[in-house]
């Protein structure tokens, strides 16, 4: 069986106590790899390596251009080994190989290229002062960054954190989710091959609570923690970080609203709405899992939406024609199944969907869920959508905002004024109008309320991963002639 070690200080290593756990392929439902099970001592080892690399190594002192060259080389290697990386995520968590190949791998390489170039070309403020001084800003690396990632877009979200941290000169300890160790390990190996000095990118495998993940959040030698995961876990991470006053960036859960107005381009609205809630089997923080459709087009929309959902090919994620794979693990499958099975008791009608082969949940569309139904209020993180009709714009906005989450929202309309008006009124970190999931990495990304704290992307990542410093200089007046 494949063995997946840690990557610490440039070496592929076992845990200090030799412990291992198994990673299960959610399609075959059998273990496919053994993984080093890190504990607090392995976390401590990785932070020590990162600390040393930062305090005495070349990486933070190298300059943007030279670091950028190495990060571009890492992006080249990610592209060259794209097949291996895509297969790693597919085998670990059931993502369709076509998605992993077409989206996760290229976006991961792009994360590295973008942040390498962004850091090199970033400009600071220069503030000429009336007093004969001028002030300017420097962006100095923060130090040791702990990056804790979820399992739904393993490589893509890991590089989203690691790339800006490295580009700004930090040294990193990455902890992937226990369900998705493989691509992070390959990333660690490729980083060595690309020429990152030892200790600059360390990958510690293992569990989060009461284990390596938690130990990383409690280590006082860590300067930044960037975390993506559930809102409850985010609270635990935030509490641990508070003890050391370590700044945290939290990208958390969501319950995205999707508003389809009766003047929308129906074909476009259906296509994106399918993508928004059923891609990656709905295991997407940004999922448009609450769909509000204006009454005039409700029936026509629901018919087309249901037909498109039923047409999605569900099954073996390694088959290139598959659009919807199994859920990531048995525990997660059971959780989503319980939501679906409990929905009818909450007043809902199942328009289509339900349990498929193995750990597959077919695209599931619910109508008539009560106001307090769990399927409406809680993040399900599966291919399940609650659909409601609305009459007025105000009613739609109020319904969309009726959630403690605020990661993102979508709206579909051909009315320009309404598009801007509604985008402004929605309480969300990102609003997509007539599209979904399109990203510009310069834009802020993050959530409101239970969806997170802070923003990353472009200059927002710069602010988080550096210590901005003000330098004030007096300009000596010219000697009098
Ligand atoms: P979890 O919160 O369960 O886990 C996320 C990571 O945190 C994993 O690596 C996990 O390790 C680790 N972890 C768990 N407990 C602790 C702890 N006490 N201290 C430190 N680390 C810990 O989330 P999931 O992996 O289940 O991911 C799904 C969630 O992520 C959803 O809520 C989703 O909405 C959210 N998400 C948010 C995104 C955003 O950008 N806002 C993007 C993608 C997902 P282990 O695997 O061992 O538990």
């Amino acid at each position: 069986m494949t063995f997946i070690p840690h990557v610490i200080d440039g070496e592929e290593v076992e845990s200090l106590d030799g412990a291992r756990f198994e990673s299960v392929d959610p399609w075959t439902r059998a273990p496919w790899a053994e993984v080093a099970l890190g504990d607090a001592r392995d976390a401590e080892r990785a932070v020590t390596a990162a600390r040393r690399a930062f305090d005495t190594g070349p990486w933070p002192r190298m300059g943007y251009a030279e670091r950028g060259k190495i990060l571009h080389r890492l992006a080249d290697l990610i592209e060259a080994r794209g097949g291996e990386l895509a297969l790693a995520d597919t085998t670990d968590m059931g993502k369709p190989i076509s998605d992993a190949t077409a989206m996760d791998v290229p976006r991961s390489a792009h994360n590295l290229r973008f942040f390498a170039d962004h850091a090199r070309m970033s400009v600071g403020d220069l503030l000429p002062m009336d007093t004969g001084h001028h002030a300017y800003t420097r962006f100095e690396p923060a130090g040791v960054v702990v990056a804790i990632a979820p399992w739904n877009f393993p490589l893509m979200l890991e590089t989203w954190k690691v790339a800006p941290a490295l580009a700004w000169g930090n040294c990193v300890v990455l902890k992937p989710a226990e369900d998705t160790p493989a691509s992070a390990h390959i990333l660690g190996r490729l980083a060595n091959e690309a020429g990152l000095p030892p200790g600059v990118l360390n990958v510690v495998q293992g569990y989060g609570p009461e284990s390596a993940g938690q130990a990383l959040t409690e280590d006082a030698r860590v300067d930044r923690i960037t975390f993506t995961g559930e809102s409850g876990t985010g609270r635990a991470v935030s509490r641990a970080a508070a003890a050391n006053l370590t700044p945290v960036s939290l990208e958390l859960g969501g319950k995205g609203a999707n508003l389809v107005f009766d003047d929308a381009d129906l074909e476009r609205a259906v296509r994106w709405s399918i993508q928004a809630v059923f891609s990656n089997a709905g295991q997407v923080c940004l999922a448009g899992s609450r769909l509000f459709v204006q009454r005039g087009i409700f029936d026509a929309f629901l018919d087309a939406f249901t037909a498109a959902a039923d047409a999605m090919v569900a099954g073996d994620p390694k088959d290139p024609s598959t659009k919807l794979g199994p859920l990531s693990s048995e525990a997660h499958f059971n959780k989503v199944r319980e939501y679906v099975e409990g929905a009818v008791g909450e007043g809902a009608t199942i328009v289509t969907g339900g349990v498929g082969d193995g750990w597959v949940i077919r695209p599931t569309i619910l109508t008539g869920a009560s106001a307090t139904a769990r399927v409406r209020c809680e993040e399900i993180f599966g291919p399940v959508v609650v659909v409601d009709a609305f009459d007025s714009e105000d009613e739609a906005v109020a319904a969309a905002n009726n959630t403690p989450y605020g990661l993102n929202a979508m709206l579909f309309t051909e009315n320009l004024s309404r598009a801007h008006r509604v985008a402004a009124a929605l309480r969300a970190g990102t609003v997509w109008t007539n599209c979904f999931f399109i990203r510009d990495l310069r834009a802020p990304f993050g959530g409101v309320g239970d969806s997170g704290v802070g923003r990353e992307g472009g200059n927002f990542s710069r602010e988080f991963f550096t210590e901005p410093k003000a330098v004030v200089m007096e300009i000596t007046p010219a000697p009098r002639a």
Side-chain angles (χ1 to χ4, degrees):
M1 199 185 293
T2 307
F3 174 59
I4 300 176
H6 311 289
V7 180
I8 298 177
D9 217 1
E11 303 283 336
E12 298 187 51
V13 292
E14 286 258 15
S15 292
L16 286 169
D17 63 3
R20 296 181 174 194
F21 67 104
E22 287 178 336
S23 184
V24 172
D25 176 335
W27 178 246
T28 63
R29 287 173 280 158
W32 77 279
E34 275 198 326
V35 189
L37 174 55
D39 64 11
R41 286 191 308 150
D42 299 296
E44 197 271 335
R45 198 160 48 134
V47 175
T48 300
R51 193 72 262 168
R52 192 173 52 242
F54 185 80
D55 292 338
T56 61
W59 188 253
R61 295 156 190 90
M62 208 175 244
Y64 300 109
E66 204 179 337
R67 275 203 301 265
K69 260 189 226 155
I70 296 174
L71 295 177
H72 274 283
R73 208 177 298 143
L74 179 54
D76 293 341
L77 290 170
I78 286 175
E79 284 163 352
R81 311 281 173 82
E84 189 189 348
L85 284 160
L87 189 61
D89 279 353
T90 294
T91 312
D92 262 343
M93 55 74 68
K95 177 188 294 289
I97 192 82
S98 52
D99 289 349
T101 307
M103 211 219 10
D104 295 58
V105 169
R107 277 214 185 179
S108 300
H110 180 60
N111 284 339
L112 285 150
R113 295 194 194 288
F114 170 84
F115 283 109
D117 294 346
H118 180 265
R120 185 168 53 81
M121 295 193 280
S122 185
V123 289
D125 295 320
L126 176 61
L127 309 166
M129 298 165 69
D130 290 343
T131 54
H133 301 78
H134 72 226
Y136 64 92
T137 43
R138 288 174 52 81
F139 295 97
E140 299 180 352
V144 171
V145 172
V146 162
I148 301 179
W151 47 259
N152 60 335
F153 291 94
L155 184 68
M156 195 171 101
L157 290 175
E158 285 153 11
T159 50
W160 166 246
K161 296 175 174 307
V162 163
L166 292 178
W168 286 103
N170 300 285
C171 297
V172 177
V173 181
L174 166 66
K175 204 219 59 87
E178 69 194 58
D179 288 333
T180 50
S183 58
H185 166 244
I186 299 171
L187 180 69
R189 256 194 344 195
L190 295 183
N192 293 341
E193 205 176 318
L196 267 87
V200 172
L201 176 60
N202 307 276
V203 181
V204 177
Q205 306 285 356
Y207 303 142
E210 291 167 25
S211 185
Q214 185 175 329
L216 289 171
T217 65
E218 292 170 348
D219 194 318
R221 296 170 300 162
V222 169
D223 300 291
R224 294 288 186 277
I225 299 170
T226 170
F227 170 85
T228 299
E230 288 176 7
S231 302
T233 317
R235 287 190 168 86
V237 168
S238 199
R239 274 194 297 273
N244 296 315
L245 294 179
T246 309
V248 288
S249 170
L250 303 174
E251 297 186 348
L252 307 176
K255 190 76 181 173
N258 181 2
L259 278 49
V260 182
F261 289 90
D262 58 11
D263 61 3
D265 174 334
L266 200 65
E267 183 279 324
R268 180 156 69 167
V270 168
R271 180 164 40 86
W272 282 118
S273 300
I274 288 282
Q275 178 82 4
V277 71
F278 298 135
S279 63
N280 212 32
Q283 301 165 121
V284 182
C285 52
L286 304 159
S289 52
R290 294 179 303 137
L291 179 48
F292 301 96
V293 184
Q294 204 157 12
R295 203 169 303 276
I297 57 160
F298 186 85
D299 291 341
F301 180 92
L302 192 60
D303 286 350
F305 185 64
T306 305
D310 288 343
M312 284 183 84
V313 179
D316 181 355
K318 295 194 188 84
D319 181 334
S321 65
T322 295
K323 294 284 175 237
L324 186 124
L327 297 183
S328 64
S329 65
E330 184 171 24
H332 190 54
F333 165 73
N334 284 330
K335 180 180 147 190
V336 177
R337 185 179 60 179
E338 280 164 25
Y339 275 111
V340 174
E341 288 173 352
V344 174
E346 298 182 307
T349 300
I350 301 178
V351 178
T352 190
V355 175
D357 293 338
W359 296 341
V360 170
I361 300 277
R362 290 183 290 115
T364 300
I365 300 174
L366 307 173
T367 54
S370 71
T372 54
R374 290 180 64 216
V375 285
R376 176 189 298 289
C377 302
E378 297 174 15
E379 182 183 44
I380 298 175
F381 223 56
V384 182
V385 62
V386 174
V387 191
D388 290 293
F390 69 87
D391 292 302
S392 71
E393 185 181 306
D394 285 351
E395 182 194 348
V397 168
N401 287 345
N402 185 20
T403 171
Y405 292 109
L407 190 58
N408 66 300
M410 284 76 72
L411 69 114
F412 292 86
T413 178
E414 294 297 302
N415 177 324
L416 187 63
S417 292
R418 171 183 281 154
H420 289 293
R421 203 167 50 230
V422 174
L426 289 167
R427 185 173 168 272
T430 300
V431 175
W432 278 290
T433 301
N434 294 333
C435 61
F436 172 69
F437 214 55
I438 307 294
R439 296 279 312 280
D440 182 320
L441 302 192
R442 293 169 298 184
F445 183 80
V448 176
D450 284 1
S451 289
V453 174
R455 296 289 184 275
E456 294 188 32
N459 285 346
F460 301 89
S461 295
R462 178 184 70 181
E463 309 302 317
F464 182 70
F465 289 114
T466 63
E467 292 288 0
K469 175 187 280 178
V471 180
V472 182
M473 237 180 120
E474 185 163 82
I475 301 165
T476 310
R480 287 178 193 280

